[in-house]
Amino acid sequence: MAEQAQYEQYEELARQLGAVGIVKRGMGRILPPDCPAGSAGVLALLGRHGDMRMSRLAELLSVDLSVTSRHVAHLAARGWLERLPDPADKRSRILRLTPAGVNLLDELYRRTTHLLAERLSDWSDDEVGQLIRLMTRLRASFGECRSTANRHPAPLGPGSQPDPGPVAKTTRTPAST
Amino acid sequence: MAEQAQYEQYEELARQLGAVGIVKRGMGRILPPDCPAGSAGVLALLGRHGDMRMSRLAELLSVDLSVTSRHVAHLAARGWLERLPDPADKRSRILRLTPAGVNLLDELYRRTTHLLAERLSDWSDDEVGQLIRLMTRLRASFGECRSTANRHPAPLGPGSQPDPGPVAKTTRTPAST
DNA sequence: TATTGTTATACTCTATAACTATA
DNA sequence: TATAGTTATAGAGTATAACAATA
């Protein structure tokens, strides 16, 4: 493909990525009170992968550990999950859904699928599958390297070539020492 | 397809939608200072569709007019766009990119396509095209009806059937009167 | 009276940094 | 010294409501 055409394709992709916010906000509106989208994401991952540590959850969410901690605290305060001590490492905590959490997750599952079934009524199963496959791959293409992007982007500069910058391997705030 | 399998597919789709945040944050990191993602979106739409009114822009962004107003004010304060009077309606304002705004947009375009070319180096053009097509359609399936969802979702309730609720046609906060 | 756009306020999500307690 | 997790703070994005100017 001609380079020019490919670049236009990338531009269009960027535009559509921004538009996904519309869909996400639409899904957010059907969530019950006290369970915002971030919390729902935690519940979904615990339901899918089972008990895990904070750090693993943060990795699956691709979000800083501090953010994960807040979501988890929110859920724990409402009795939807427990933070059990890890016998192997006293610094660590094992996250586990409570029965109430499982019920809530089930309810979220019902509402979500109901909404999608309504909105995507004219989609074929194959198309939905394609979209899932491509989005999963997109996430993989981006998620593997966090912070390869400029941390301090150049103000403007004409022929600016975004140089790779340092690569970080973790979801973790770098230690200040 | 069996209903059960289809529902699992919807569940997976919901999960992958959440994961798009990773990609969007990755793209946000290459933006120049003083031009956050929201502003970049405004620039992109003005570049693509040309001069327009606030209300049209809000509609294209699928975001409340108040939000649009803030983004636009941010860009106008930095000289990237002008708010011209509309000869046909003195309440309205016509938005137009300044030369500086066009330059900035060009720079954003370069950075974005560069990043995508790097990350999607192992994607075929056809795959990228497919993803764009499906995401565009997804947006259409959701964007057409804002607020069909529950505005005040039921707390929990077992067999809750999310009833459609009132349909709003605009991006507008309803008048309080 | 209805519509266009602005502003004030509040809430969610996120990242950074500083801190604790373990390892 | 390094790691797991918590908390405080700040920034971006959004929605709601109240308001001014015009239609």
Side-chain angles (χ1 to χ4, degrees), chain B residues 25 29 53-55 65-66 69 83 89 91-93 172:
Chain B
R25 287 196 294 280
R29 275 191 278 271
R53 309 177 4 156
M54 293 286 307
S55 50
L65 193 52
S66 66
S69 182
R83 286 179 282 194
D89 185 340
R91 295 171 302 179
S92 178
R93 306 174 84 169
R172 179 77 198 205

Side-chain angles (χ1 to χ4, degrees), chain A residues 30-54:
Chain A
I30 63 166
L31 296 176
D34 261 23
C35 183
S39 300
V42 169
L43 289 176
L45 283 175
L46 281 174
R48 181 177 184 78
H49 298 276
D51 302 359
M52 68 180 78
R53 310 179 0 157
M54 292 287 306

Side-chain angles (χ1 to χ4, degrees), chain B:
Chain B
M1 182 187 257
E3 269 213 352
Q4 177 58 21
Q6 178 151 40
Y7 275 4
E8 279 171 16
Q9 207 185 18
Y10 287 151
E11 196 193 3
E12 180 63 24
L13 178 56
R15 206 163 10 238
Q16 291 309 326
L17 277 173
V20 173
I22 301 162
V23 179
K24 291 180 76 172
R25 287 196 294 280
M27 308 247 323
R29 275 191 278 271
I30 63 166
L31 295 176
D34 260 23
C35 183
S39 300
V42 169
L43 289 177
L45 284 175
L46 280 175
R48 181 177 184 77
H49 298 276
D51 302 359
M52 67 181 79
R53 309 177 4 156
M54 293 286 307
S55 50
R56 165 116 174 94
L57 179 59
E59 194 184 317
L60 289 174
L61 288 170
S62 281
V63 140
D64 192 87
L65 193 52
S66 66
V67 176
T68 309
S69 182
R70 287 178 65 83
H71 290 323
V72 165
H74 179 92
L75 291 168
R78 283 154 186 81
W80 289 323
L81 62 74
E82 298 172 293
R83 286 179 282 194
L84 309 171
D86 181 347
D89 185 340
K90 285 183 186 166
R91 295 171 302 179
S92 178
R93 306 174 84 169
I94 304 293
L95 307 176
R96 171 174 299 170
L97 290 182
T98 62
V102 174
N103 285 342
L104 174 58
L105 179 54
D106 208 57
E107 169 67 17
L108 298 181
Y109 171 82
R110 273 195 298 273
R111 293 193 188 189
T112 300
T113 54
H114 186 277
L115 175 64
L116 285 174
E118 187 181 281
R119 289 291 197 284
L120 307 185
S121 56
D122 60 338
W123 285 54
S124 75
D125 298 331
D126 195 54
E127 285 170 318
V128 177
Q130 283 276 318
L131 180 56
I132 291 173
R133 188 179 64 77
L134 291 168
M135 291 204 313
T136 303
R137 182 150 174 231
L138 179 67
R139 184 221 174 123
S141 295
F142 265 82
E144 273 151 20
C145 40
R146 240 176 78 100
S147 340
T148 291
N150 290 353
R151 287 333 273 274
H152 301 290
L156 277 180
S160 73
Q161 279 254 348
D163 65 305
V167 174
K169 260 112 184 177
T170 70
T171 318
R172 179 77 198 205
T173 299
S176 50
T177 331

Side-chain angles (χ1 to χ4, degrees), chain A:
Chain A
M1 183 186 255
E3 269 211 351
Q4 177 58 20
Q6 177 151 42
Y7 275 3
E8 279 170 18
Q9 207 184 19
Y10 287 150
E11 195 193 3
E12 179 63 25
L13 178 56
R15 202 159 18 233
Q16 292 308 326
L17 277 173
V20 174
I22 301 162
V23 179
K24 293 179 75 172
R25 286 197 293 281
M27 309 247 323
R29 275 191 277 271
I30 63 166
L31 296 176
D34 261 23
C35 183
S39 300
V42 169
L43 289 176
L45 283 175
L46 281 174
R48 181 177 184 78
H49 298 276
D51 302 359
M52 68 180 78
R53 310 179 0 157
M54 292 287 306
S55 49
R56 166 119 172 91
L57 179 59
E59 194 184 317
L60 289 173
L61 288 170
S62 282
V63 139
D64 193 86
L65 193 52
S66 66
V67 175
T68 309
S69 183
R70 286 179 66 85
H71 290 322
V72 165
H74 179 92
L75 291 168
R78 282 153 186 82
W80 289 322
L81 62 74
E82 298 172 294
R83 287 178 282 194
L84 308 170
D86 181 347
D89 185 340
K90 285 181 185 164
R91 295 170 303 179
S92 178
R93 307 176 83 169
I94 305 294
L95 306 176
R96 171 174 300 170
L97 291 181
T98 62
V102 173
N103 285 343
L104 175 58
L105 179 54
D106 208 56
E107 169 67 17
L108 298 182
Y109 171 83
R110 272 194 299 272
R111 294 192 187 188
T112 300
T113 54
H114 186 277
L115 175 64
L116 285 174
E118 187 180 281
R119 288 292 198 283
L120 307 186
S121 57
D122 60 339
W123 285 55
S124 75
D125 298 331
D126 195 53
E127 284 171 317
V128 177
Q130 282 278 316
L131 179 56
I132 290 173
R133 187 179 67 77
L134 290 169
M135 289 204 314
T136 304
R137 182 147 176 233
L138 179 67
R139 185 220 176 125
S141 295
F142 266 80
E144 272 151 21
C145 41
R146 238 177 80 102
S147 343
T148 290
N150 290 352
R151 288 333 275 274
H152 303 289
L156 277 180
S160 74
Q161 281 254 346
D163 65 307
V167 174
K169 259 109 183 182
T170 70
T171 317
R172 179 78 198 204
T173 300
S176 50
T177 331

